[in-house]
Amino acid sequence: MLAPTRSLRASLGSDRISEYDAPIGAIAVNPAGVDSSLAWSETRRNLVIAIPPEVLSELALQEFDLAKVELQPPAFGTVDPTALGIAQRISVELTGKATPNELYLDSLVTLFSTHLLRTYASHMKQPQPPRGGLSAKSARRVEEYLREHFTEKVHVAELAAVAGISPNHFIVRFAVTFGMPPHRYLINLRLDFTEKLLVESEMPIAEVAYVAGFSDQSHLATTMKRYRGRTPKELRFER
């Protein structure tokens, strides 16, 4: 819940209806295949994250060596500050004026999924937190992969596979190694390529945006202004 909501009526796994007031940060966990219902009488602000069972199972195997996942839903109205923090960041990214960064959202959903398993899965073994960065070999492979694919859609899982570690550990170790999260590194690669094209060619800005991996010219202009302090038109005018 991103804002408090009164008089929610919910059921989960049975016909019994519970009515409760949900404070900000209240979390509801609905395992796949479990019948549920939810009714409300006033406008509510919440974020729904749907994770395919096979994706959650794969993450559980990679992160926790857990072959079978059984989620144990908390009581209605349970507040989860960690989940709230991630949900707020996802909401900001999705509702902002700029086009959402897909790799950033993918990273946030991976972090949320890991927290879900760590907190609400039964028979959970608490893993050791990742320490240090990527090995030199893994860092080189990931960097080469990003430089070859930076104009395409890139997902955390594929980068983690290139590095040979689990997705959640990858996010942390990448930031330690490169001094920034994966999505920011990807943005820098796209902007470096954009600036090169703007300075060295007469390619229209809309086409530059497309070949550099941005959704459109507006997305490029907003991103470039935010991270480089000037727009494509300003850079082309200065050359």
Side-chain angles (χ1 to χ4, degrees):
M1 300 300 299
L2 299 176
T5 303
R6 295 177 299 174
S7 301
L8 285 173
R9 297 178 301 282
S11 68
L12 181 63
S14 73
D15 294 330
R16 186 170 66 86
I17 302 295
S18 299
E19 183 169 331
Y20 66 101
D21 294 335
I24 184 172
I27 185 172
V29 178
N30 191 167
V34 176
D35 291 334
S36 65
S37 69
L38 180 65
W40 58 96
S41 57
E42 61 182 35
T43 302
R44 63 191 178 107
R45 285 188 63 236
N46 64 287
L47 183 77
V48 178
I49 301 177
I51 307 166
E54 62 275 13
V55 173
L56 199 63
S57 295
E58 180 66 22
L59 187 65
L61 191 61
Q62 294 174 332
E63 295 289 344
F64 307 106
D65 195 25
L66 193 65
K68 185 178 180 181
V69 180
E70 291 186 9
L71 294 176
Q72 303 294 323
F76 291 128
T78 297
V79 173
D80 187 327
T82 300
L84 174 62
I86 298 172
Q88 288 172 329
R89 284 190 282 168
I90 293 175
S91 178
V92 168
E93 187 67 16
L94 289 174
T95 58
K97 293 182 179 180
T99 301
N101 184 288
E102 293 178 346
L103 184 55
Y104 180 47
L105 288 174
D106 192 31
S107 298
L108 290 174
V109 172
T110 299
L111 293 175
F112 177 84
S113 302
T114 304
H115 171 70
L116 186 73
L117 289 169
R118 183 178 289 125
T119 310
Y120 303 108
S122 58
H123 310 300
M124 178 55 60
K125 298 184 298 182
Q126 291 300 322
Q128 292 296 319
R131 296 180 179 179
L134 299 170
S135 68
K137 185 177 181 180
S138 292
R140 185 171 61 254
R141 287 203 305 261
V142 170
E143 189 170 26
E144 289 174 352
Y145 186 88
L146 281 171
R147 290 188 179 280
E148 290 176 5
H149 300 277
F150 71 89
T151 63
E152 307 166 14
K153 290 184 179 179
V154 180
H155 299 283
V156 171
E158 65 190 87
L159 293 176
V162 171
I165 58 178
S166 66
N168 186 56
H169 282 203
F170 171 79
I171 295 171
V172 176
R173 289 181 173 173
F174 184 98
V176 171
T177 300
F178 293 99
M180 64 187 73
H183 74 276
R184 180 63 187 275
Y185 191 93
L186 186 68
I187 288 172
N188 282 342
L189 288 177
R190 289 176 176 174
L191 289 177
D192 288 345
F193 185 56
T194 294
E195 291 179 344
K196 178 179 176 64
L197 291 177
L198 290 172
V199 171
E200 298 180 2
S201 76
E202 297 299 329
M203 186 182 295
I205 294 177
E207 188 175 348
V208 169
Y210 175 76
V211 300
F214 295 94
S215 58
D216 52 34
Q217 183 173 338
S218 176
H219 181 204
L220 168 59
T222 302
T223 304
M224 191 170 175
K225 183 68 174 179
R226 178 180 179 183
Y227 292 105
R228 299 292 167 93
R230 56 187 175 184
T231 66
K233 289 182 179 179
E234 290 171 342
L235 176 61
R236 183 155 274 180
F237 180 77
E238 292 172 1
R239 65 179 183 174

